[in-house]
């Protein structure tokens, strides 16, 4: 039982990362309504910028570790905001009304550019952060087994819940939230009602990218390192989760992604970990097939 509780708690951290990514992905997808392959790479890019700048601050500027990490955090969010501005103005807005494959190809190109920028900046080396707030907090113990989470895991989970709750409240009650729903539903009608659709578009891409960046820096601070391969895998899983769940409700997508993160952790605790990604992608494909098939049935035939 204690082992099960440990795996469940381990899944909370993965759930927080998936939830942030899913929330941000739906914010952007509500505007572009196309597959966005740059979302996972923005997640990895933010984490790697944090690590690179923190290492620079530590080795070159001789900063203390907290100051170096703070500098890295500032740079990660600043660069992510810059990437979001370039994406919204130069990729998404010009291609939003083009063929669906145009944005897929363009965002794949953006992913490759971000990967190469970080690789060149790091001189093809792999940097690691020192463990931060890694001492365990014991929740239960018995029979020589302890159920623990690190302080960093707890902080990350709390930040994710706070960020998603605040954003969901803002979407439900703010003018931006009303405008986002209007533009997501029918941009032409929203424009006729006087809504600046281009402005809503840009702010949505910025907000979605900041959520991806927040997940990226949380992952970097906890794991100490993050690769673009990890970013692409996380991005693809979130893409499938949101496709099977909801492209219209960021909170619902985040909840589904969080449950998926917990399920993935439980698999890793009880089954061969080398089959984890194969199982998760298989499950997501099956969910996508069944949910799409269900949506295609007449209303009278649905359960």
């Amino acid at each position: 039982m204690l082992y099960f509780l440990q795996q469940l708690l381990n899944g909370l951290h993965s759930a927080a990362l998936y939830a942030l990514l899913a929330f941000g992905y739906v914010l952007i997808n509500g505007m572009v309504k196309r597959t966005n392959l740059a979302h996972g790479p923005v997640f990895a890019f933010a984490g790697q910028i944090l690590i690179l700048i923190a290492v620079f601050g530590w080795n070159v500027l001789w900063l203390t570790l907290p100051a170096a990490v703070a500098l890295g955090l500032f740079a990660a969010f600043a660069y992510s905001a810059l990437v979001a501005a370039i994406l919204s103005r130069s990729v998404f807005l010009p291609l939003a009304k083009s063929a669906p494959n145009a944005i897929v190809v363009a965002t794949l190109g953006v992913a490759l550019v971000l990967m190469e920028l970080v690789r060149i900046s790091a001189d093809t080396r792999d940097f690691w952060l020192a463990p931060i707030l890694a001492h365990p907090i014991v929740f239960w113990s018995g029979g020589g087994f302890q159920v623990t989470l690190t302080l960093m895991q707890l902080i990350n989970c709390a930040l994710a819940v706070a960020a998603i709750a605040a954003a969901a409240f803002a979407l439900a009650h703010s003018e931006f939230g009303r405008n986002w729903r209007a533009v997501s539903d029918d941009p032409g009608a929203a424009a006729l009602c006087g809504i600046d659709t281009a402005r809503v578009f840009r702010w949505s891409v910025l907000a979605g990218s900041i959520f991806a960046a927040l997940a990226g820096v949380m992952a970097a601070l906890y794991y100490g390192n993050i690769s673009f391969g990890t970013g692409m895998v996380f991005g693809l899983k979130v893409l499938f989760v949101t496709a099977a769940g909801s492209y219209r409700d960021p909170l619902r997508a985040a909840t589904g992604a969080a449950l998926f993160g917990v399920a993935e952790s439980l698999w890793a605790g009880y089954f061969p970990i080398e089959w984890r990604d194969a199982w998760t992608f298989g499950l997501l494909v099956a969910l996508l097939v069944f949910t799409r098939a269900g949506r295609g049935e007449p209303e009278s035939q649905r359960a």
Side-chain angles (χ1 to χ4, degrees):
M1 184 61 182
L2 290 181
Y3 181 77
F4 171 78
L5 290 176
Q6 181 63 69
Q7 299 308 315
L8 193 63
L9 288 182
N10 289 341
L12 293 180
H13 189 262
S14 296
L17 300 181
Y18 281 123
L20 286 170
L21 280 168
F23 197 99
Y25 187 88
V26 173
L27 283 177
I28 298 174
N29 189 268
M31 300 293 103
V32 300
K33 296 180 173 64
R34 299 288 189 274
T35 299
N36 172 19
L37 295 179
H39 198 63
V42 170
F43 159 82
F45 177 76
Q48 291 187 327
I49 289 295
L50 163 63
I51 293 170
L52 286 176
I53 299 300
V55 169
F56 175 80
W58 175 267
N59 290 333
V60 178
L61 301 181
W62 291 10
L63 299 176
T64 62
L65 182 59
V69 170
L71 180 63
L73 286 170
F74 174 79
F77 285 111
Y79 276 106
S80 298
L82 177 61
V83 170
I86 294 172
L87 278 172
S88 62
R89 293 178 182 272
S90 302
V91 178
F92 291 143
L93 271 174
L95 298 178
K97 297 181 180 179
S98 301
N101 290 338
I103 284 186
V104 177
V105 174
T107 52
L108 180 59
V110 170
L112 294 174
V113 169
L114 293 178
M115 179 175 64
E116 284 301 297
L117 282 175
V118 174
R119 183 188 66 80
I120 294 170
S121 299
D123 197 21
T124 322
R125 289 187 291 174
D126 207 13
F127 295 102
W128 289 77
L129 283 179
I132 299 173
L133 303 179
H135 57 277
I137 297 175
V138 179
F139 290 91
W140 298 279
S141 62
F145 188 90
Q146 293 183 329
V147 179
T148 66
L149 281 179
T150 66
L151 183 57
M152 179 55 69
Q153 285 177 303
L154 289 174
I155 291 173
N156 283 349
C157 291
L159 282 175
V161 171
I164 291 172
F169 181 85
L171 281 176
H173 299 92
S174 69
E175 180 183 358
F176 172 77
R178 292 191 295 272
N179 291 343
W180 182 86
R181 290 191 296 274
V183 176
S184 176
D185 186 57
D186 192 332
L192 289 175
C193 292
I195 296 175
D196 187 347
T197 56
R199 182 172 179 271
V200 175
F201 196 107
R202 290 193 297 269
W203 279 103
S204 298
V205 174
L206 175 62
S209 298
I210 291 299
F211 268 90
L214 177 58
V217 300
M218 284 168 48
L221 289 172
Y222 174 63
Y223 295 111
N225 181 268
I226 185 171
S227 68
F228 263 89
T230 301
M232 287 297 292
V233 170
F234 268 71
L236 288 174
K237 289 177 182 177
V238 165
L239 190 155
F240 276 95
V241 168
T242 53
S246 174
Y247 278 137
R248 294 181 176 272
D249 188 342
L251 184 58
R252 180 180 172 185
T255 303
L259 293 175
F260 171 79
V262 173
E264 188 180 67
S265 175
L266 291 175
W267 171 277
Y270 289 96
F271 301 101
I273 194 168
E274 59 267 20
W275 287 98
R276 184 188 63 184
D277 286 342
W279 171 82
T280 53
F281 277 116
L283 174 64
L284 290 174
V285 169
L287 284 174
L288 184 59
V289 170
F290 287 123
T291 55
R292 292 297 178 183
R295 291 168 191 172
E297 296 174 355
E299 193 70 27
S300 60
Q301 297 180 8
R302 295 186 189 177

